[in-house]
Amino acid sequence: AQSVTQLGSHVSVSEGALVLLRCNYSSSVPPYLFWYVQYPNQGLQLLLKYTSAATLVKGINGFEAEFKKSETSFHLTKPSAHMRDAAEYFCAVSDTGTASKLTFGTGTRLQVTL
Amino acid sequence: EAGVAQSPRYKIIEKRQSVAFWCNPISGHATLYWYQQILGQGPKLLIQFQNNGVVDDSQLPKDRFSAERLKGVDSTLKIQPAKLEDSAVYLCASSLVPGTSGANVLTFGAGSRLTVL
């Protein structure tokens, strides 16, 4: 069975500061990994995905994530936070056999302060 | 392109009542999912359809939840009778058929928020 663990249910950063949201995965097969963002009262929107190509993945809105097999991690980063980045972020995993069946983490709420 | 449509957006019912949620996926997306998102938790898959057939309903509480996708397009999720712990956002998502390029990208609707009193 696959799972992801998101460390920190709440993260607060100042505008312009580095954003780092942590995700560790557990999978018995090479995983596909995803980050989704959820703005208030909206559905989830895909930020980026890793599907066994390049280990550094660039997504929308300036976010990127690096797949590190040795650390079983897929942390999400952004060099400079904007107020509009305030949202809930979910890491998710699927196996390569049923790539569309996602298992989500519990989410990290990002707060951006002035 | 139009997104995944869901209705109603909000529903408040009393326990033991019934409720139904509707979803219209993106045109051409053969795979449809219903997820349950309880406050403070990540979405949990309830049921997955491919066209009008069920692929996975292992986490669907079948004593009270049912779902159908009769013509392989729209889908309805029903809860009867509702319990307090069913209070959640019910998210519908769709994707291309597995094995198709881009099939691992799910597009989500805005969700239907259920409050059971």
Side-chain angles (χ1 to χ4, degrees), chain A residues 34 38 41 43 49 100-101 105, chain B residues 9 33 37 42 56 104 106 109:
Chain A
F34 306 79
Q38 187 175 35
N41 297 316
K49 62 178 180 178
S100 54
K101 183 177 177 180
Chain B
R9 288 295 312 277
Y33 314 78
Q37 185 178 16
D56 183 353
N104 49 33
L106 273 62

Side-chain angles (χ1 to χ4, degrees), chain B residues 58-116:
Chain B
S58 58
Q59 298 194 84
L60 186 74
K62 298 180 185 64
D63 57 333
R64 297 182 301 105
F65 286 65
S66 65
E68 60 183 13
R69 194 184 184 200
L70 293 175
K71 297 183 179 179
V73 180
D74 294 7
S75 177
T76 302
L77 176 70
K78 296 180 181 178
I79 307 174
Q80 181 179 18
K83 292 185 174 181
L84 296 177
E85 59 260 36
D86 298 332
S87 293
V89 176
Y90 291 87
L91 295 165
C92 180
S94 68
S95 70
L96 296 168
V97 172
T100 307
S101 176
N104 49 33
V105 177
L106 273 62
T107 302
F108 285 83
S112 294
R113 182 179 297 276
L114 173 66
T115 302
V116 182

Side-chain angles (χ1 to χ4, degrees), chain B residues 21-32:
Chain B
F21 302 112
W22 172 82
C23 172
N24 181 242
I26 288 177
S27 178
H29 279 192
T31 309
L32 184 148

Side-chain angles (χ1 to χ4, degrees), chain B residues 32-53:
Chain B
L32 184 148
Y33 314 78
W34 283 101
Y35 280 84
Q36 181 191 55
Q37 185 178 16
I38 293 173
L39 186 64
Q41 300 181 20
K44 182 185 80 171
L45 179 67
L46 292 176
I47 189 167
Q48 177 184 348
F49 292 94
Q50 186 168 314
N51 297 309
N52 60 352

Side-chain angles (χ1 to χ4, degrees), chain A residues 15-75:
Chain A
E15 191 172 37
L18 172 72
V19 175
L20 171 61
L21 305 182
R22 300 177 185 274
C23 173
N24 289 88
Y25 70 90
S26 173
S27 177
S28 57
V29 298
Y32 286 175
L33 292 160
F34 306 79
W35 276 99
Y36 279 83
V37 61
Q38 187 175 35
Y39 299 101
N41 297 316
Q42 295 185 27
L44 282 75
Q45 178 184 3
L46 180 68
L47 274 178
L48 49 81
K49 62 178 180 178
Y50 166 77
T51 56
S52 73
T55 56
L56 181 62
V57 182
K58 294 186 183 298
I60 61 171
N61 302 338
F63 284 93
E64 63 182 36
E66 186 172 8
F67 173 72
K68 292 187 177 181
K69 184 177 180 180
S70 61
E71 299 177 7
T72 62
S73 69
F74 190 59
H75 302 330

